[in-house]
Amino acid sequence: MRDERFERFEVEPFTGSLGASIRGVDLVADDDDVVREVQRALHEYHVLAVRDQSLDIERLHVVARRFGPFSGNPVHTPVDGYEDIVRFVREPDDSGKVIGEEWHMDLAWLARPPGITMLFGEEVPPVGGDTCFTSLEKAYQSLSPRMVAMLAELTGIHSGRGVFAINAAHSRLGLKNEYESVENTAVEHPVICEHPVTGRKYVFVSSVLTHFKGMTEEESRPLIDFLMARAIRPEFNCRLRWETNTLGMWNNPYVLHTAINDYSGYRRVMYRTTVEGGAPQAARLSS
Ligand code: SIN
């Protein structure tokens, strides 16, 4: 099914909840109107697989910066010459978890989490290695009005505690020397938020949400577990299947994502960059 609201290129939704593939654009060469249209598609679908992009590191850098400045990344060592790009490699005989193998949001423990994450597959497995996404907008819409009203009164504390340990488990990942500051970072984000452009509401939950302001971690845990379980329900998901020359991009604060560990025996090499975002805004709810 093609989304006819987009005329400059072909947009085909992944599922009824989020995600779409785009064909017929060249993000290096096309004009700024096309980039704005892709941004409009991103606001609509939150996750895009832009097919047939012939990129290398330099071109990925150029494309990413057309969408906005780099968000910063205090955790991963970048590739030589490109402060804004990191390389995730999985060799055929690697075992254990893959990078990003739990539902999470990138850098949710920053005051301004990245607005967009981009991932480009230099080498993708012939089968497997998909990335799954879930819509925090759909999760919001599934909550009862009373639950929304209660959550709207809460402030979530998102912590960098343990982030380095998770990443250090991947021997092929280079880590920056910022362990102390990341470990001690804890930021406040509203729980019920709204998108600054579309005004659409979403629930801001992440894997690093440790507790709610004024409550203990023990008191907060059942509610956090409920919200995470609600957020990742299959009907709110989509699956991005990587092909050679696919540029994946997602509206990072409005989704959770997880890498799928099902491609043992194959190599997967991805380049990731992020675009700066704003501080999540508390939703204005009509009383
Ligand atoms: C990530 O979590 O940023 C990586 C996802 C992936 O490699 O599919």
Side-chain angles (χ1 to χ4, degrees):
M1 186 200 91
R2 182 177 172 162
D3 184 339
E4 303 293 344
R5 292 171 298 175
F6 295 90
E7 292 174 355
R8 300 286 302 258
F9 42 75
E10 192 181 315
V11 176
E12 209 177 312
F14 283 155
T15 67
S17 282
L18 80 167
S21 66
I22 288 190
R23 288 178 200 278
V25 296
D26 178 339
L27 288 175
V28 177
D30 284 345
D31 60 32
D32 290 346
D33 285 348
V34 169
V35 172
R36 272 191 286 277
E37 274 296 276
V38 172
Q39 276 168 325
R40 187 164 75 86
L42 200 50
H43 290 323
E44 195 57 45
Y45 288 99
H46 291 321
V47 177
L48 298 177
V50 190
R51 306 294 188 191
D52 309 318
Q53 302 306 293
S54 176
L55 301 180
D56 54 16
I57 298 181
E58 170 61 21
R59 284 162 164 255
L60 174 60
H61 164 80
V62 167
V63 168
R65 302 292 66 90
R66 294 189 79 183
F67 285 77
F70 177 45
S71 67
N73 175 352
V75 179
H76 304 113
T77 311
V79 299
D80 281 350
Y82 293 90
E83 180 56 26
D84 54 343
I85 296 178
V86 294
R87 189 169 185 255
F88 293 162
V89 183
R90 176 84 166 181
E91 295 293 352
D93 55 356
D94 283 352
S95 56
K97 287 192 167 192
V98 298
I99 296 164
E101 187 186 329
E102 297 295 343
W103 287 103
H104 66 285
M105 182 187 294
D106 292 328
L107 305 172
W109 43 273
L110 293 180
R112 297 168 63 207
I116 302 173
T117 298
M118 294 187 180
L119 202 60
F120 181 73
E122 183 185 73
E123 194 171 338
V124 295
V127 63
D130 299 347
T131 308
C132 285
F133 295 87
T134 201
S135 167
L136 296 178
E137 236 180 66
K138 295 290 175 189
Y140 165 83
Q141 289 164 11
S142 74
L143 296 170
S144 66
R146 189 70 202 94
M147 185 60 147
V148 168
M150 195 265 283
L151 292 172
E153 309 243 302
L154 298 178
T155 299
I157 311 295
H158 300 251
S159 162
R161 195 178 65 206
V163 165
F164 262 83
I166 291 169
N167 283 278
H170 302 287
S171 57
R172 296 185 193 282
L173 257 185
L175 299 184
K176 286 184 176 164
N177 191 17
E178 297 187 30
Y179 172 83
E180 286 284 332
S181 67
V182 171
E183 199 70 9
N184 294 319
T185 298
V187 297
E188 298 182 3
H189 293 310
V191 181
I192 303 295
C193 297
E194 69 182 30
H195 190 290
V197 176
T198 64
R200 297 204 310 243
K201 298 180 178 49
Y202 62 102
V203 54
F204 194 105
V205 62
S206 84
S207 56
V208 298
L209 171 58
T210 53
H211 62 289
F212 300 104
K213 195 173 174 180
M215 293 169 65
T216 65
E217 293 194 12
E218 185 190 15
E219 288 166 344
S220 307
R221 181 48 47 194
L223 188 49
I224 295 171
D225 288 346
F226 161 77
L227 288 173
M228 284 299 283
R230 175 59 62 95
I232 65 174
R233 270 161 62 155
E235 63 268 37
F236 307 148
N237 299 173
C238 75
R239 208 169 166 118
L240 194 166
R241 293 184 191 280
W242 296 97
E243 293 169 6
T244 306
N245 291 338
T246 292
L247 174 66
M249 58 174 85
W250 58 93
N251 252 343
N252 179 55
Y254 311 101
V255 299
L256 300 177
H257 63 282
T258 178
I260 305 298
N261 185 354
D262 65 348
Y263 56 97
S264 172
Y266 295 113
R267 191 162 194 256
R268 187 176 185 266
V269 181
M270 312 297 281
Y271 289 98
R272 193 185 89 173
T273 185
T274 43
V275 177
E276 90 177 3
Q281 293 177 10
R284 288 158 297 175
L285 298 171
S286 46
S287 47

